[in-house]
Amino acid sequence: MTALTIRSISIRALDAPMDPPLRNSLNVIPRAPLVIAEVQTEQGPRGTAYAFAYAPAALGPLAALTRNLGAGLVGREVAPQKIWDEMLNANRLLGAEGLVMMAISVLDMALWDALGQSVGLPLARLWGGDLSPIPAYGSLRGWGPAMLAEEGGRAVAQHGFRAVKCKLGAPSIAGDLETVRALRDAVGPEVEILIDYNQGLDRPEALKRGLALQAEGVRWMEEPLHVTDDEGLAWLADQLEMPVQGGENWWGVTGMARSLAARATDLCMPDVMKMGGATGFLRGMPLAAAHRVPLSSHIFIEASAHLLSVCPLRHYLEHLDIAGALLREPLRIEAGCALPPDRPGLGLEWDEAALARHAADA
């Protein structure tokens, strides 16, 4: 492999459509504020990736921080793992979480994409995997029985999903049960139903609702308690037959190791952006394997498809597409599985006209 040298790194901010908006018990996310990093090498290959800022107020700061970190990489050899270690160590006093980790992650993924482009290999193959279909579930965006039943039924009919996930957190258990039963009627008896509380419950309420929901055949209960309440999550997991799922809000390998050591989750679903990009995610996978905890992904479907191809205890890819409206060809889903594209690197091909329409100042 010929060594690559970074000529330049450019950063773009986007205000992408989120159709339909993403709703949960805490808020509504009507748009997707995205930061795109593009690495141009002296030898020609380019790499690109994106980060999700979640809130419009964070878009400008994330873009600026990523731009500043990227400027310090110009002239360096494209060596993602070495650069990852150096960026993390250089920012420890600032704090290697939040926007810092998000900026490191998008740069890391763009560097890996450039490597894949340079050798003409999809990252799944570069990492020693293949392009086999990845089991996926439909991550629903709606709220309430009627909206989720319609969305869930459509997702199963269109994509063949064998599992769907909905957000819960009604004022009473009765409201959550009504939602799950409506969704069950819409998707049929063979489709798994997964539920997500987005850290919205206290311990007594989590146990009460967990017992009621497992009686309905729900297959996992995601983030019922605050992500840092390892003791409470471990206690809850011991009380329920239904698995407790978590991990999307772990910051890096350190957060993942702490939670797994505490037995705070039966299943895990790290987020490639919060884990530290592809490098952080790849370093976290052996931890899940060592604890015998099945691993799913959280959003970032394009990178996740490649990463899960080399995951020892692969479970599900969460299909929640936040960048598809900006791509020439979104990730394909067939028969309930994600199909990693047979294109070099991550396989991202931006629609320049869409990028221009949704450009944001940052």
Side-chain angles (χ1 to χ4, degrees):
M1 182 186 299
T2 303
L4 299 179
T5 306
I6 300 169
R7 173 187 291 176
S8 64
I9 296 180
S10 59
I11 305 299
R12 292 196 271 188
L14 284 297
D15 179 32
M18 183 79 84
D19 186 22
L22 181 61
R23 297 169 170 87
N24 60 42
S25 63
L26 305 174
N27 55 32
V28 177
I29 302 176
R31 308 281 295 177
L34 303 180
V35 170
I36 294 176
E38 295 180 304
V39 174
Q40 176 65 58
T41 67
E42 295 285 2
Q43 292 74 18
R46 298 170 61 89
T48 188
Y50 68 91
F52 180 32
Y54 283 93
L59 180 59
L62 178 57
L65 181 57
T66 307
R67 190 176 293 116
N68 291 340
L69 289 180
L73 304 181
V74 173
R76 295 288 306 278
E77 181 180 343
V78 176
Q81 297 205 46
K82 179 178 176 60
I83 288 174
W84 190 90
D85 286 329
E86 292 178 1
M87 287 194 293
L88 200 68
N89 288 331
N91 289 281
R92 287 197 185 278
L93 295 182
L94 179 58
E97 296 185 354
L99 294 183
V100 171
M101 186 64 85
M102 292 159 71
I104 290 172
S105 295
V106 69
L107 291 169
D108 175 82
M109 288 189 282
L111 292 172
W112 276 112
D113 187 46
L115 279 185
Q117 298 286 341
S118 72
V119 296
L121 288 176
L123 287 181
R125 289 194 170 124
L126 183 66
W127 293 326
D130 60 25
L131 302 181
S132 298
I134 308 290
Y137 67 84
S139 192
L140 309 180
R141 305 184 189 201
W143 181 259
M147 186 181 295
L148 286 166
E150 190 279 330
E151 185 184 1
R154 177 162 36 87
V156 170
Q158 290 182 351
H159 298 296
F161 289 124
R162 293 182 286 276
V164 294
K165 185 174 80 179
C166 68
K167 310 284 189 179
L168 294 183
S172 69
I173 296 178
D176 285 348
L177 292 174
E178 181 185 4
T179 294
V180 168
R181 289 166 182 167
L183 185 56
R184 171 60 69 206
D185 288 343
V187 302
E190 302 302 320
V191 175
E192 292 186 342
I193 292 179
L194 321 172
I195 58 99
D196 184 0
Y197 275 102
N198 293 104
Q199 307 178 67
L201 303 176
D202 58 27
R203 293 187 191 185
E205 194 66 19
L207 178 58
K208 186 162 52 175
R209 297 198 188 204
L211 292 170
L213 288 162
Q214 72 181 17
E216 297 292 323
V218 170
R219 297 306 298 271
W220 83 40
M221 186 183 198
E222 184 177 329
E223 287 201 324
L225 305 175
H226 194 275
V227 66
T228 61
D229 187 6
D230 291 333
E231 181 183 353
L233 288 164
W235 165 80
L236 181 65
D238 283 341
Q239 304 302 309
L240 298 176
E241 296 179 7
M242 172 178 57
V244 172
Q245 171 69 279
E248 70 180 71
N249 287 300
W250 290 335
W251 289 107
V253 179
T254 301
M256 183 177 188
R258 184 207 73 236
S259 181
L260 290 176
R263 304 178 64 86
T265 182
D266 301 301
L267 307 169
C268 71
M269 51 182 301
D271 177 294
V272 64
M273 180 182 70
K274 294 181 179 180
M275 282 295 292
T279 295
F281 201 103
L282 288 167
R283 292 181 179 183
M285 286 193 297
L287 288 176
H291 287 273
R292 305 301 299 166
V293 174
L295 187 148
S296 298
S297 63
H298 179 250
I299 62 175
F300 298 100
I301 57 177
E302 301 84 6
S304 295
H306 292 280
L307 288 161
L308 289 177
S309 75
V310 294
C311 181
L313 289 180
R314 179 179 72 203
H315 192 192
Y316 273 130
L317 179 142
E318 178 183 29
H319 187 259
L320 178 58
D321 190 354
I322 58 175
L326 305 176
L327 294 170
R328 291 173 57 189
E329 185 178 340
L331 183 70
R332 289 171 55 206
I333 302 291
E334 292 183 5
C337 291
L339 305 181
D342 193 4
R343 297 191 294 271
L346 289 169
L348 297 174
E349 296 181 355
W350 299 112
D351 180 338
E352 289 296 332
L355 295 185
R357 284 196 304 273
H358 299 293
D361 294 329

